[in-house]
Amino acid sequence: MRGAAVLTAAGALAGLAAAPAAAKPHHDEPLVIAHRGASGYLPEHTLEAYALAVEMGADVIEPDLVLTKDGELLARHEPVLDETTDVAAHPEFADRKTTKLIDGKPVTGFFADDFTLAELKTLRAEERLPALRPGSAEHDGEFELVTYDEVLDYVATLDRKVITYPEMKHPSYYGDKGMSIEDALADLLEERKLDKKRSPVWIQSFEYESLLNIDERVDNRIGLNIDGQGAIPDATLDEYAETLDTVSLNKNRIFPRGADGSISEPTDIVERAHERGLDVHVWTFRAENSFLPANLREGSDPAAWGDYEAEFELFYDLGVDAVFSDFPDLAIAARDC
C-alpha cells in the first residue's frame, strides 16, 4: 500500500560532555538519527543507549531488528550475538554455536533465531568496539537485550515526538528459514496502530524486495539503504522514486574517498534524488579517526576524535535530510551551529 528500565539522565550522562537540551524535531533542518542509540557512549541497541540519545535531543532512534526463535523482534545489529553480548560466557548455551549462511557467506557463532526471547533475556549487552570505546565497554554486562515492542513502549512515555526507524536485518536469511521479518514487523505495527503514513515509524532495509513486500502490508515511509561508492543511474533513481520515500546512502556515495582515504568534491546524488522527491539520509557519522576521511583525522590514534565537525558541515551544506550518528549530541551541535 502506498499512501522503563531506563538509565537516569544523570547516570547516563556521567563522564560525558554536557548534552544540549532536548530539542523538538527540526522539520526545516536535517534530522539527527541516533544510530543504534547513542552507541558512541553506551553499548548499542540497549534501552539505555536509546534513552541517552533521546536525552541528547535526537529526532529519531534506530533499532536494527532480528528475529528470535519464537518470532519476536529483537533489537540487535546482526542475527549473530557474539560481538555484542556475553553469550559465550554462558556454558548452558555452548551447544548453540553453529555455522550458517548469511548473504551467501558462512558465519559461525550464536544466532538469535536459535534462542527464545526468554533465553535471550538472560544475556547482557557488550560494547562492539571496546578498543575504540573503552568508556562504553565499562558498561559491559549491565544492560539486558530488548525487543522492538519494548522500545515502542519506552517511546510512548516521552513528552515529545521521537521517530523510530527500524531496519529489517537480512530478510532473505529469514525467508530461507521459512520466517518473515516483514510480517513480524507489519503485525506489530498494525497491532499498535503505527502502520500509517504519518505514524512516527519509518522502515528501512538493504533489501529492495523486502521493502516492496512490507509496503503491501503497511503505509509507513520506507527507505532503501545503499552501500558502496559510485554513481546511481537516473533510471534507478526513477524507479526508487516510484516505490520509496527515501534513499539512505553510505557517505561515500556523496563524497567519494580516494585511494588515500581522503575526500574532495561531492557527487550530484543529493540533488538528483531531491529532484525526484526522494529524501536523502546519510550514514554513518562517527567521531573517531578510525572512521573519518584521512584528511579530517587528527593524530595517529585510531580512537582519538578527529575533525568530525567539518565532516558534518560538508553534508549539512549539501542539504541532506537526515544523518545517522553514533554521537547524536555532536550531530545536533554541528547542525545547530
Side-chain angles (χ1 to χ4, degrees):
M1 293 181 290
R2 299 301 296 162
V6 179
L7 203 63
T8 64
L13 294 171
L16 306 181
K24 295 181 180 179
H26 292 63
H27 297 294
D28 58 345
E29 295 181 296
L31 298 178
V32 170
I33 303 168
H35 184 241
R36 312 177 194 170
S39 56
Y41 300 118
L42 292 174
E44 65 188 37
H45 293 309
T46 58
L47 201 57
E48 291 77 10
Y50 300 135
L52 179 55
V54 171
E55 179 72 18
M56 290 175 164
D59 305 295
V60 185
I61 56 176
E62 187 230 12
D64 295 332
L65 302 182
V66 302
L67 284 173
T68 71
K69 185 177 183 179
D70 43 352
E72 298 289 339
L73 290 164
L74 184 74
R76 285 288 94 190
H77 177 52
E78 293 287 346
V80 184
L81 302 168
D82 301 53
E83 289 188 339
T84 62
T85 77
D86 62 355
V87 63
H90 287 253
E92 68 273 25
F93 298 138
D95 62 348
R96 307 283 178 94
K97 191 168 188 175
T98 187
T99 300
K100 301 184 182 186
L101 291 178
I102 298 181
D103 296 335
K105 299 178 181 179
V107 177
T108 299
F110 296 90
F111 290 76
D113 46 282
D114 290 330
F115 294 78
T116 66
L117 179 58
E119 290 173 327
L120 290 165
K121 283 292 188 178
T122 68
L123 306 182
R124 292 297 179 265
E126 294 189 346
E127 169 56 43
R128 187 172 56 89
L129 303 169
L132 294 181
R133 297 172 178 172
S136 175
E138 290 178 1
H139 296 279
D140 284 0
E142 294 181 16
F143 309 139
E144 71 173 30
L145 312 192
V146 296
T147 65
Y148 183 43
D149 203 24
E150 291 172 309
V151 175
L152 291 174
D153 283 343
Y154 161 67
V155 170
T157 70
L158 300 175
D159 59 4
R160 68 177 176 94
K161 178 182 176 182
V162 173
I163 297 165
T164 63
Y165 199 177
E167 180 188 337
M168 301 179 294
K169 301 295 295 191
H170 304 289
S172 294
Y173 164 77
Y174 294 111
D176 291 343
K177 296 170 61 65
M179 306 172 78
S180 173
I181 196 168
E182 298 92 343
D183 283 345
L185 180 54
D187 288 347
L188 178 60
L189 295 180
E190 289 172 353
E191 176 187 340
R192 299 185 70 115
K193 302 188 185 329
L194 290 172
D195 58 338
K196 306 297 188 289
K197 191 73 170 182
R198 294 182 177 273
S199 297
V201 176
W202 304 339
I203 300 171
Q204 56 175 321
S205 177
F206 279 90
E207 296 189 22
Y208 184 49
E209 290 300 320
S210 176
L211 292 170
L212 299 183
N213 289 339
I214 199 168
D215 193 45
E216 296 179 358
R217 293 275 316 271
V218 301
D219 283 325
N220 302 73
R221 295 180 63 82
I222 58 174
L224 179 66
N225 299 332
I226 304 174
D227 202 355
Q229 182 164 301
I232 300 175
D234 283 342
T236 301
L237 284 179
D238 290 339
E239 178 183 358
Y240 292 160
E242 292 293 323
T243 54
L244 304 171
D245 300 288
T246 302
V247 286
S248 184
L249 306 176
N250 184 311
K251 292 182 298 185
N252 296 345
R253 290 279 181 179
I254 299 174
F255 281 91
R257 295 200 186 191
D260 64 350
S262 64
I263 59 172
S264 53
E265 295 302 311
T267 68
D268 63 354
I269 182 61
V270 176
E271 179 182 0
R272 291 192 295 121
H274 281 167
E275 287 173 350
R276 291 161 173 80
L278 289 163
D279 282 353
V280 178
H281 299 173
V282 190
W283 46 271
T284 301
F285 291 82
R286 300 176 169 109
E288 297 97 348
N289 281 330
S290 181
F291 301 108
L292 287 168
N295 45 341
L296 295 181
R297 297 169 191 161
E298 296 183 357
S300 58
D301 181 358
W305 288 10
D307 192 0
Y308 60 84
E309 298 102 328
E311 186 180 41
F312 280 122
E313 184 176 353
L314 288 171
F315 287 86
Y316 287 155
D317 284 351
L318 286 182
V320 301
D321 299 286
V323 297
F324 290 78
S325 180
D326 291 7
F327 301 88
D329 56 336
L330 304 184
I332 292 167
R335 178 190 69 186
D336 293 350
C337 282

